[in-house]
Amino acid sequence: MSPQIMPSDTELKSRRAEEAAALEEDTRLRNDIRLLGRILGDTVRDQEGADVFDLVERIRQTSIRFHRDDDKPARRELELILDSMSTSQTVRIVRAFSYFSHLANIAEDQNNIRQMRARSKAGETPPPGSLALTLSHARTAGFSGSDLRKFFASALASPVLTAHPTEVRRKSTIDREMEIAELLDRRERVQLTREEVEASDEQLRRAVLTLWQTNLLRRTKLTVLDEVANGLSFYDYTFLHELPRLHCTLEDRLNEGQGAAQGELASFLKIGSWIGGDRDGNPFVTAEVMRGTLKMQSSRIVRFYLDELHRLGAELSLAAHLADVSKDLRALAERSPDKSPHRSGEPYRLAVSGIYARLAATALRLDVETTRAPVGEAEPYASARELKADLDVIHRSLISNNSRVIARGRLRHLRRAVDCFGFHLASLDIRQNSSVHERTVAELIDAAMPGMSYMALNEEGRISLLANELRHTRPLTSAFVKYGEETVGELAVFHAAAEAHAKYGAEAIPQCIISMCKGVSDMLEVALLLKEAGLVDPSGRSAINIVPLFETIEDLQASSRIMDRLLSMHDYRKLVDSRGSVQEVMLGYSDSNKDGGFVTSGWELYKAEIGLVEVFERHHVRLRLFHGRGGSVGRGGGPSYDAIIAQPGGAVNGQIRITEQGEIISSKYSNSEVGINNLEVLAAATLEASLLQPKQSAPNQQYLKAMEQLSALAFKAYRGLVYETEGFADYFWASTVITEIATLNIGSRPASRKKTREIEDLRAIPWVFSWAQCRLMLPGWYGFGSAVESWIKEHPDKGMPFLKELYRGWPFFRTLLSNMDMVLAKSSIAIASRYAELVPDVALRESIFGRIRREWQTSIEMLLNIMGQERLLQGNPLLERSIRNRFPYLDPLNHVQVELLKEHRAQNPDEQVLRGIQITINGISAGLRNSG
């Protein structure tokens, strides 16, 4: 080895230390998995008998032998065991393996938390993606604390929770799993006595037994309000406490340093929601359901404030003769209806009881039920700002009288919570498909203008008519006209939104999103409907943001042109200016992927962002992008930090919203430590992408040209298979669990937009979910291998070296391939071949699966070559080990699922067959983690 590339002693020591730490972490993870596995095994033996336990162990050990040693006889033995089981045995076995996947996830999550803590030790270099490191980089780049506060004053980073049906677990099982995680966490943190260890073991056994005896599957379908209730649980787990804490921590960091200017940080992290407001394809989301949603949200946050005020009153026992108070605090105390002689000399407690009384009166106004009566009657607060102002009086009094450390306790977090959550808790978006808005507006216009046929007008005719109507003061609707059910329902939703603004404040419903937005008229139609509800007025003011959602490849390509036209229109521009000259645009990852494949979807999204950035800069309007990402790579998933940093220059610009869907919500936010880490990553990435990344929107022109060519080749391959191969829809429906997924009660929304078997009409979630279950993950890679192969043939002068340069030098391309690396590592062509055997047409099966197998092999070969790896996930050993360790437990579930599918489709009347399929879906989904 030459001296130039010989690592130094320091580097060698550092590497050895890292390897030793990784080895120790692996050992601790394995110990946790073995502990939980042993308890599960004991539970299976006690509950199901020794014969079932022995069968589980035999399958487990044979599967491990096959995977660890590539033992072909072990594979044949495994298949013989699995094929010889009765249906009753099969259900018991799949329950055991499914629960093991869930328990292994708990152990992995605890290991991740251990690693986060280890990286956060005092004096250690902050890890990538942390706010501490990003702030350090910002200060190195010359940004002061004042500069950063100014940045955050107009910033917005918002995770938006949706009810997309990809979380297969019931809340009951999630709660039990959280209990097990807490017990593991305590064993990790606390030095237990022998008696405490024994008690902890018993608690773990009790929790695992309870989990075993809890239904894995929902027996009834969720309602929308059930989904709302499930979503609200994450506020208890994480958001209510951790969001204020993160803001306070960041505020302290910005105020650090001798002579640093002190100041308060604006609340820039806000939680959004679609649960109860997303009507696209969900007929169960009505105006009444939306009202119920807002009431549930408001009830949760107002009761939280009341509980915190009760605790704050108990804490602020400061006596007037021992601690001075401000004039404003004294006045606040005097207005309190609390006349108890016990508190006559305790002005802070009097002030808090007065605030409590006003908030209790506010609860009454908002129809929120409370459990603890106030000390007396008081005027309700008109807004959350008034509540915050009263809390600020207490804060200023404590600060001015040398009690800063008290002000920095519960009071500080409560003040921040009020700023973050208001009386509405989360901003609810309302969303509907553009075709529904079109039909609604058509009925209103045709009724108001006899002889008019709105549907017959071309785009220009519609734009002219709608712009004219927006300037009119008269309403379109009439009490004397009987409208259709759909129109009545849509108008009711917009009127309910106006009511919500009056009741909870404008932040309760700040956005109206238009799915499948295809033109200017789609946006103007919504403006007109908002005008009917009083949310847009003829003078050009809007109380709500009108947000286009561009979803298909064609729509993404047209997005810049559509927004350029809109922002050039005087009437629409006035609406944007009334919203602070900020226009939000949503980009759909799921449907664009289903439409054009992974490579083309990623590229067209990137190009759309470049085009939008340029258009908005020209119009001097601030662009806020809303990324509609799913959990799986096939729906835009992958590490959030990498995805945000890989955005083109100017695309983040201080503001970003990102959907959090299905199983990703629980994986990110059911544990408070993991939750605050994910919120911190979002904040850090927003700051870094806005201030520390290059400002130019487009990289090297050669990179763009090469990516355009690769995308075209990948698009051709993907479309050629999915949309242009005769019989592909039949192959898909036969070779996946798409039909059986519909029997799971995991969401309130139907799986297809229309009752057909066409791929075009299928929703993106069941499309991706089905391919994950059969371990092909096709939406996350198909078309890449043949595209690269063809591109190299067409460009022999550049070839593979240029693509390697592309990978090293361009974050977008690197993130694209990194996500593909992960999804291909989770795939198994051998398992997928078993599902292909479910296709009854032999010629169709062999033709299509043969193409898929070749593309899979080529994609892996090209990916490894470009990334300079010898195997998948070589650069991410932790994830590689995690996936490798799961395969022996996943494969038996896949094998059994195939056999049960054969039975079910042969019309076996035994209800245990379908139940067994549903449990395997649950177990495989848990094993893959991000499957939808």
Side-chain angles (χ1 to χ4, degrees):
M1 187 178 283
S2 68
Q4 286 84 356
I5 57 172
M6 185 81 125
S8 66
D9 288 343
T10 306
E11 287 172 325
L12 284 170
K13 283 179 185 175
S14 176
R15 283 184 202 169
R16 281 196 288 269
E18 286 174 11
E19 286 167 6
L23 194 62
E24 184 187 346
E25 286 298 335
D26 264 7
T27 302
R28 294 162 86 179
L29 172 59
R30 279 199 302 272
N31 289 341
D32 281 349
I33 290 176
R34 282 173 184 152
L35 171 66
L36 295 177
R38 188 171 65 249
I39 293 173
L40 177 63
D42 292 344
T43 302
V44 171
R45 186 193 292 110
D46 293 343
Q47 298 296 306
E48 305 299 330
D51 56 335
V52 173
F53 170 77
D54 291 342
L55 187 55
V56 168
E57 275 300 287
R58 193 175 157 207
I59 293 167
R60 186 180 72 83
Q61 289 172 8
T62 309
S63 187
I64 288 172
R65 200 166 77 241
F66 163 59
H67 272 278
R68 186 183 57 207
D69 307 325
D70 197 23
D71 186 337
K72 297 297 189 291
R75 178 178 178 172
R76 286 193 295 274
E77 183 186 344
L78 182 63
E79 290 173 354
L80 283 171
I81 299 169
L82 295 171
D83 291 345
S84 65
M85 296 188 305
S86 67
T87 303
S88 176
Q89 282 179 313
T90 299
V91 171
R92 288 180 171 88
I93 297 304
V94 298
R95 284 189 76 221
F97 277 87
S98 294
Y99 275 120
F100 181 83
S101 286
H102 288 288
L103 293 175
N105 287 348
I106 295 169
E108 273 198 2
D109 288 342
Q110 288 306 116
N111 193 52
N112 291 338
I113 291 169
R114 264 198 299 267
Q115 290 177 326
M116 282 192 305
R117 286 194 202 123
R119 290 195 299 265
S120 300
K121 284 180 183 173
E124 296 281 328
T125 302
S130 65
L131 266 172
L133 187 64
T134 305
L135 290 175
S136 173
H137 289 163
R139 289 204 160 108
T140 302
F143 292 99
S144 66
S146 297
D147 295 333
L148 294 173
R149 273 195 299 275
K150 185 178 179 182
F151 166 79
F152 285 118
S154 64
L156 175 70
S158 178
V160 180
L161 310 191
T162 78
H164 286 76
T166 58
E167 173 56 87
V168 295
R169 295 179 299 165
R170 298 174 59 213
K171 186 176 183 299
S172 297
T173 59
I174 293 174
D175 289 343
R176 299 290 70 72
E177 289 173 23
M178 287 175 63
E179 182 185 349
I180 293 167
E182 285 167 13
L183 289 168
L184 285 180
D185 188 56
R186 185 167 183 269
R187 291 166 78 101
E188 175 74 25
R189 292 206 202 200
V190 180
Q191 192 169 357
L192 303 177
T193 65
R194 188 179 66 186
E195 289 80 6
E196 287 171 334
V197 170
E198 289 170 357
S200 175
D201 284 344
E202 185 172 321
Q203 286 175 303
L204 274 173
R205 291 180 182 281
R206 185 161 51 245
V208 172
L209 176 57
T210 305
L211 189 62
W212 180 260
Q213 294 183 342
T214 300
N215 267 330
L216 261 176
L217 308 170
R218 290 189 186 92
R219 294 303 177 105
T220 54
K221 196 167 181 66
L222 286 171
T223 66
V224 177
L225 292 182
D226 288 333
E227 292 173 329
V228 173
N230 288 345
L232 289 178
S233 61
F234 296 100
Y235 291 85
D236 297 327
Y237 301 152
T238 293
F239 298 131
L240 291 178
H241 296 283
E242 301 305 334
L243 203 64
R245 187 172 294 140
L246 179 56
H247 278 103
C248 293
T249 301
L250 178 56
E251 184 174 84
D252 287 344
R253 284 180 180 154
L254 295 181
N255 289 332
E256 280 174 352
Q258 197 170 5
Q262 304 292 295
E264 288 206 352
L265 175 73
S267 298
F268 68 97
L269 271 166
K270 298 289 180 81
I271 309 300
S273 179
W274 278 13
I275 312 173
D278 181 9
R279 296 167 0 263
D280 181 18
N282 193 338
F284 306 110
V285 178
T286 62
E288 204 51 46
V289 163
M290 198 167 82
R291 288 188 185 96
T293 298
L294 293 165
K295 181 180 176 181
M296 288 170 72
Q297 289 188 177
S298 181
S299 296
R300 184 66 203 87
I301 192 57
V302 170
R303 283 200 286 261
F304 172 77
Y305 294 155
L306 288 168
D307 288 343
E308 288 298 292
L309 281 168
H310 181 71
R311 294 186 182 100
L312 184 65
E315 290 175 8
L316 293 183
S317 54
L318 288 67
H321 68 283
L322 296 174
D324 288 339
V325 298
S326 68
K327 180 182 173 184
D328 288 344
L329 189 283
R330 194 172 291 110
L332 189 61
E334 287 169 359
R335 291 197 297 272
S336 172
D338 189 348
K339 305 305 177 189
S340 170
H342 301 300
R343 283 182 287 281
S344 59
E346 298 175 338
Y348 285 103
R349 278 183 165 169
L350 284 171
V352 171
S353 64
I355 293 171
Y356 188 100
R358 289 195 69 185
L359 188 58
T362 309
L364 193 65
R365 175 177 72 81
L366 298 175
D367 302 321
V368 172
E369 294 176 11
T370 57
T371 54
R372 192 182 290 112
V375 293
E377 292 186 1
E379 282 292 309
Y381 287 113
S383 68
R385 280 191 299 277
E386 290 187 1
L387 168 60
K388 173 72 164 39
D390 278 355
L391 294 171
D392 287 347
V393 168
I394 300 177
H395 167 77
R396 287 194 298 271
S397 179
L398 289 168
I399 295 291
S400 63
N401 290 289
N402 205 28
S403 300
R404 178 180 294 274
V405 71
I406 297 175
R408 285 173 56 82
R410 188 181 302 277
L411 174 64
R412 186 188 190 191
H413 289 135
L414 178 55
R415 290 171 58 237
R416 180 63 69 174
V418 173
D419 207 36
C420 289
F421 302 115
F423 289 151
H424 61 283
L425 182 67
S427 294
L428 184 70
D429 292 351
I430 53 175
R431 180 173 82 126
Q432 182 57 285
N433 196 287
S434 61
S435 61
V436 177
H437 296 143
E438 178 188 47
R439 291 193 296 270
T440 302
V441 167
E443 184 170 4
L444 295 180
I445 285 177
D446 291 358
M449 305 174 188
M452 170 65 73
S453 173
Y454 180 78
M455 289 294 209
L457 295 174
N458 62 18
E459 177 69 357
E460 291 304 316
R462 291 182 181 194
I463 291 170
S464 175
L465 175 61
L466 293 166
N468 191 48
E469 281 301 316
L470 281 171
R471 292 190 291 270
H472 265 300
T473 54
R474 61 161 176 77
L476 269 178
T477 50
S478 168
F480 303 102
V481 176
K482 185 175 174 60
Y483 299 107
E485 185 180 347
E486 183 178 69
T487 297
V488 169
E490 288 305 302
L491 290 172
V493 164
F494 288 111
H495 283 291
E499 290 169 20
H501 276 219
K503 190 171 185 178
Y504 304 106
E507 284 300 300
I509 300 180
Q511 269 87 225
C512 180
I513 296 170
I514 306 161
S515 296
M516 291 293 172
C517 184
K518 296 182 179 298
V520 170
S521 64
D522 290 338
M523 298 282 284
L524 299 181
E525 284 164 1
V526 168
L528 190 58
L529 292 171
L530 289 168
K531 176 173 165 277
E532 289 300 304
L535 292 166
V536 163
D537 68 45
S539 69
R541 294 191 61 80
S542 179
I544 204 163
N545 299 319
I546 303 171
V547 181
L549 168 49
F550 300 111
E551 298 183 76
T552 67
I553 299 298
E554 186 180 351
D555 296 340
L556 288 169
Q557 291 169 342
S559 60
S560 297
R561 175 180 52 78
I562 292 168
M563 294 313 301
D564 191 21
R565 175 80 186 274
L566 270 166
L567 295 175
S568 300
M569 291 180 61
H570 176 71
D571 295 302
Y572 186 80
R573 181 58 191 267
K574 282 169 69 179
L575 298 179
V576 173
D577 289 343
S578 77
R579 303 294 300 164
S581 296
V582 176
Q583 169 70 58
E584 184 172 296
V585 174
M586 185 171 183
L587 303 175
Y589 288 63
S590 302
D591 280 285
S592 60
N593 181 293
K594 187 167 75 73
D595 186 30
F598 177 66
V599 174
T600 300
S601 169
W603 176 234
E604 291 298 340
L605 284 159
Y606 191 87
K607 280 201 306 180
E609 291 184 43
I610 291 174
L612 289 167
V613 167
E614 291 171 352
V615 165
F616 278 64
E617 283 179 351
R618 194 165 65 249
H619 286 280
H620 306 291
V621 170
R622 187 172 191 173
L623 169 65
R624 178 167 67 228
L625 286 172
F626 183 9
H627 298 268
R629 304 170 74 226
S632 64
V633 169
R635 294 185 52 246
S640 297
Y641 183 83
D642 293 343
I644 295 171
I645 296 302
Q647 300 294 306
V652 179
N653 197 22
Q655 299 203 348
I656 190 169
R657 297 210 303 151
I658 300 177
T659 55
E660 303 281 24
Q661 305 181 7
E663 81 283 9
I664 297 303
I665 300 174
S666 53
S667 71
K668 281 188 172 183
Y669 302 116
S670 58
N671 177 285
S672 61
E673 272 190 87
V674 176
I676 196 167
N677 181 67
N678 280 298
L679 291 169
E680 185 175 334
V681 162
L682 178 59
T686 303
L687 174 61
E688 182 154 339
S690 302
L691 294 184
L692 306 177
Q693 294 292 304
K695 291 298 179 189
Q696 70 270 21
S697 60
N700 184 315
Q701 284 299 314
Q702 280 193 313
Y703 290 3
L704 298 179
K705 186 177 179 182
M707 194 62 227
E708 183 72 20
Q709 293 161 345
L710 285 167
S711 172
L713 292 164
F715 181 77
K716 183 181 177 183
Y718 176 84
R719 294 285 302 189
L721 176 75
V722 174
Y723 293 102
E724 294 162 16
T725 298
E726 190 174 347
F728 181 82
D730 295 331
Y731 176 92
F732 169 69
W733 284 85
S735 69
T736 70
V737 290
I738 179 65
T739 305
E740 290 72 20
I741 284 171
T743 67
L744 289 169
N745 295 307
I746 58 175
S748 65
R749 194 170 72 162
S752 290
R753 290 184 173 89
K754 301 173 187 174
K755 291 184 178 179
T756 75
R757 287 165 59 90
E758 297 300 314
I759 303 299
E760 289 89 341
D761 297 324
L762 187 68
R763 290 194 177 279
I765 290 171
W767 164 254
V768 172
F769 200 104
S770 300
W771 288 116
Q773 286 284 310
C774 72
R775 302 282 292 283
L776 257 180
M777 321 295 197
L778 182 141
W781 55 267
Y782 195 89
F784 175 76
S786 55
V788 172
E789 202 171 44
S790 298
W791 188 87
I792 289 172
K793 284 178 186 172
E794 292 173 10
H795 300 83
D797 55 322
K798 293 180 177 177
M800 185 58 71
F802 180 80
L803 296 179
K804 289 184 175 185
E805 178 193 327
L806 210 62
Y807 174 72
R808 289 190 302 269
W810 191 10
F812 163 77
F813 195 64
R814 191 162 56 248
T815 301
L816 193 78
L817 269 60
S818 173
N819 286 334
M820 217 180 306
D821 188 23
M822 187 259 290
V823 81
L824 282 164
K826 291 185 178 183
S827 67
S828 169
I829 205 70
I831 294 290
S833 69
R834 299 293 313 280
Y835 285 84
E837 290 167 9
L838 294 168
V839 180
D841 186 329
V842 177
L844 181 69
R845 174 208 310 163
E846 292 179 352
S847 168
I848 290 180
F849 188 71
R851 287 169 65 183
I852 291 172
R853 184 197 296 273
R854 285 191 299 275
E855 184 65 27
W856 180 82
Q857 291 166 337
T858 307
S859 293
I860 292 175
E861 181 187 341
M862 296 298 148
L863 183 79
L864 293 178
N865 203 337
I866 295 170
M867 295 179 77
Q869 296 181 175
E870 293 179 0
R871 64 184 187 279
L872 294 170
L873 288 180
Q874 185 178 328
N876 191 343
L878 190 68
L879 184 56
E880 181 191 18
R881 287 193 296 274
S882 168
I883 291 171
R884 190 176 63 237
N885 292 339
R886 286 164 184 272
F887 277 178
Y889 300 90
L890 275 175
D891 289 3
L893 288 172
N894 282 115
H895 183 99
V896 167
Q897 188 179 83
V898 171
E899 296 307 311
L900 290 173
L901 285 169
K902 289 176 184 174
E903 289 285 316
H904 181 60
R905 292 173 184 182
Q907 307 300 312
N908 187 322
D910 188 347
E911 65 178 23
Q912 286 196 90
V913 173
L914 178 58
R915 184 162 172 264
I917 293 170
Q918 293 169 334
I919 294 172
T920 60
I921 292 171
N922 182 296
I924 293 166
S925 179
L928 294 171
R929 305 217 75 168
N930 52 351
S931 57

